[in-house]
Amino acid sequence: MSRPQLPEPPLTRNGAEPPLVDAETDLRPTPQVVAARRALRSHPALLLLGIVLASLNMRAALAGVSPLLGEISGHYGLSATAGSLVTTIPLVFMGLASPLAPRLARRWGTEAVLLAALVLLCGGVLLRVAPPVVALFAGCALVGSGIALLNVLMPGLIKRDFPDRAAGMTALYTTAMIGGATLSAAAAVPLENVLGGWRGSLASWSLPAAVAAVAWIPQAVLARRGTHHGQAAAAPVRTAPAPGLARSPLAWQVTLFMGLQSLIAYVAIAWMPTILTDDGMSKGGAGLVFAFSTLVQMAGSFLVPLLAGRMRGQRLLAVAVAALMASGIAGLLVAPAAGAWLWAALIGVGQGGSVGLALTMMVLRTSDAHTSARLSGMAQTWGYLLAAAGPLALGAVHQATGGWTLPIVLMLAVCAALALLGLGAGRDRKIHP
């Protein structure tokens, strides 16, 4: 069986390969790093394994919290609003830490920063289960920071190392990301029972992060082979300051599309099991429904990027995924527990499609890896800061009204706004900052 081959980079006019462009913002790797990455291209299985293992951890540490949120809040005596901080704090730090990714990658290289992100994620998962409540929130901050680095660097890494298969690789890593979240959500309550409580359940997800970190050690070492101690991995491509993406309306449409679809996703992570248990479903049953919703996201996350890569514009896809989520959310308003599996399927397919489409548009709306990474950083920063408002705001509204009617109506309004943004972000245009 032959090993998979990475696509070869295009040749220049004299037949020589052009230098690899680093995945981060406006950076060009040093000659030593270029040579090292050429060597890494001869080990495609190592690259694929690293991407898949890292992706499996990008949502697992968050999804496993949702079915246990009631136990966590009850243990510390947290209100609904305070309890939502367990899912809100990671989102805040996913936004705040995103701008650091290109700076860290310039100094240490993409591969080393991805390794550090996984180590940080592993440490944050363990810190969350330490006894004082401050450790819970501090661990959430570390988890969010580690995920932020992975979020920002992965699209540019794929554009750099898989230039002819960007849409397919985006589908692969998005599907792996959702697979990890599904397993985490489904196993949360059973692990709680087996390991003696919610702390054991949450701590168990440090192991997959540690395994992924080990898988990135060879890549981090090989990518810096030949680099002198203290030498930066890359240097700026331009000598003059680059124009900002903030001047591009299309860049903002992609960013806000990313933000609103993330807001819907993390509201579901934070509150879907609680909505179902408040309507009479058991905790275990609600956890399984939530896991099922996460599982079926794979269908949308795999198919939508592939369809998007074959279409000149993605406006119809954007409206379709928003409509699917709106249908499922409306079902939670009418008959939460009675139709839970159907609503979970609609929300899940819509969510998977929307995140896959958002990540794919970061590639399709740009013409090179530099702009793709810059757009990724912008979308991750502002998108996740916007998304952080969702769980906290809906928790506060639920606490104030004593029910879920108004929070769900507000989510339907968010779905409508997402569809409108998709009409702009899905146009067949390129961002030229």
Side-chain angles (χ1 to χ4, degrees):
M1 183 176 179
S2 60
R3 67 182 183 183
Q5 297 293 321
L6 291 176
E8 293 298 323
L11 299 179
T12 58
R13 290 184 179 179
N14 62 7
E17 288 186 353
L20 279 173
V21 175
D22 202 7
E24 300 81 40
T25 296
D26 297 330
L27 302 180
R28 190 178 300 280
T30 63
Q32 294 88 346
V33 173
V34 170
R37 284 176 176 165
R38 295 291 183 206
L40 272 175
R41 289 177 68 88
S42 65
H43 302 283
L46 184 62
L47 291 170
L48 287 170
L49 178 65
I51 289 172
V52 170
L53 289 178
S55 301
L56 285 170
N57 286 278
M58 287 173 66
R59 294 296 181 272
L62 301 178
V65 170
S66 183
L68 307 175
L69 189 57
E71 282 72 14
I72 297 171
S73 298
H75 178 84
Y76 290 110
L78 303 176
S79 66
T81 304
S84 68
L85 291 174
V86 177
T87 51
T88 298
I89 289 176
L91 291 178
V92 171
F93 278 83
M94 284 164 70
L96 294 177
S98 292
L100 299 177
R103 300 177 186 178
L104 293 172
R106 174 180 175 179
R107 179 65 182 83
W108 302 105
T110 307
E111 295 81 2
V113 176
L114 285 172
L115 169 60
L118 290 165
V119 173
L120 189 66
L121 178 61
C122 181
V125 169
L126 292 175
L127 183 59
R128 287 189 309 187
V129 302
V133 68
V134 66
L136 171 67
F137 295 132
C140 290
L142 293 183
V143 166
S145 299
I147 292 174
L149 300 179
L150 296 171
N151 283 341
V152 173
L153 296 181
M154 197 68 78
L157 179 76
I158 287 173
K159 184 114 182 180
R160 184 194 73 196
D161 291 341
F162 301 87
D164 297 332
R165 304 175 187 173
M169 286 302 300
T170 298
L172 174 64
Y173 103 79
T174 306
T175 302
M177 177 177 68
I178 292 171
T182 301
L183 181 60
S184 177
V189 175
L191 285 174
E192 179 190 23
N193 296 331
V194 171
L195 299 176
W198 62 268
R199 283 196 168 97
S201 181
L202 292 188
S204 66
W205 294 103
S206 63
L207 181 60
V211 171
V214 170
W216 274 95
I217 291 175
Q219 302 187 63
V221 172
L222 290 173
R224 295 304 301 270
R225 178 177 291 177
T227 303
H228 300 298
H229 179 71
Q231 181 182 4
V237 174
R238 299 181 176 96
T239 56
L245 286 175
R247 300 178 183 178
S248 169
L250 181 55
W252 276 111
Q253 288 166 345
V254 174
T255 295
L256 293 176
F257 186 89
M258 178 70 184
L260 288 189
Q261 70 83 22
S262 297
L263 187 152
I264 296 170
Y266 286 103
V267 163
I269 288 175
W271 295 117
M272 178 184 273
T274 303
I275 292 173
L276 296 176
T277 55
D278 284 355
D279 197 52
M281 185 174 286
S282 69
K283 182 180 70 173
L288 288 177
V289 171
F290 175 65
F292 171 72
S293 180
T294 307
L295 176 65
V296 297
Q297 288 181 32
M298 288 187 181
S301 69
F302 189 80
L303 292 176
V304 170
L306 294 179
L307 292 172
R310 289 167 170 77
M311 300 170 66
R312 294 187 60 184
Q314 294 76 38
R315 305 175 80 182
L316 180 60
L317 285 176
V319 173
V321 296
L324 282 173
M325 287 189 290
S327 299
I329 291 170
L332 290 177
L333 183 63
V334 177
W341 294 95
L342 175 59
W343 315 142
L346 293 172
I347 293 172
V349 174
Q351 284 180 351
S354 64
V355 68
L357 182 58
L359 294 171
T360 304
M361 286 195 295
M362 294 179 195
V363 175
L364 298 179
R365 297 287 86 86
T366 57
S367 56
D368 56 70
H370 292 314
T371 308
S372 176
R374 294 173 64 200
L375 179 60
S376 174
M378 176 179 174
Q380 307 288 352
T381 301
W382 296 107
Y384 284 118
L385 288 175
L386 173 61
L392 185 63
L394 261 72
V397 173
H398 168 62
Q399 185 174 328
T401 62
W404 289 107
T405 299
L406 183 55
I408 291 175
V409 169
L410 291 174
M411 291 307 300
L412 290 174
V414 173
C415 290
L418 182 69
L420 292 176
L421 284 168
L423 293 176
R427 292 173 295 170
D428 181 25
R429 296 185 181 182
K430 298 287 186 182
I431 295 170
H432 299 288

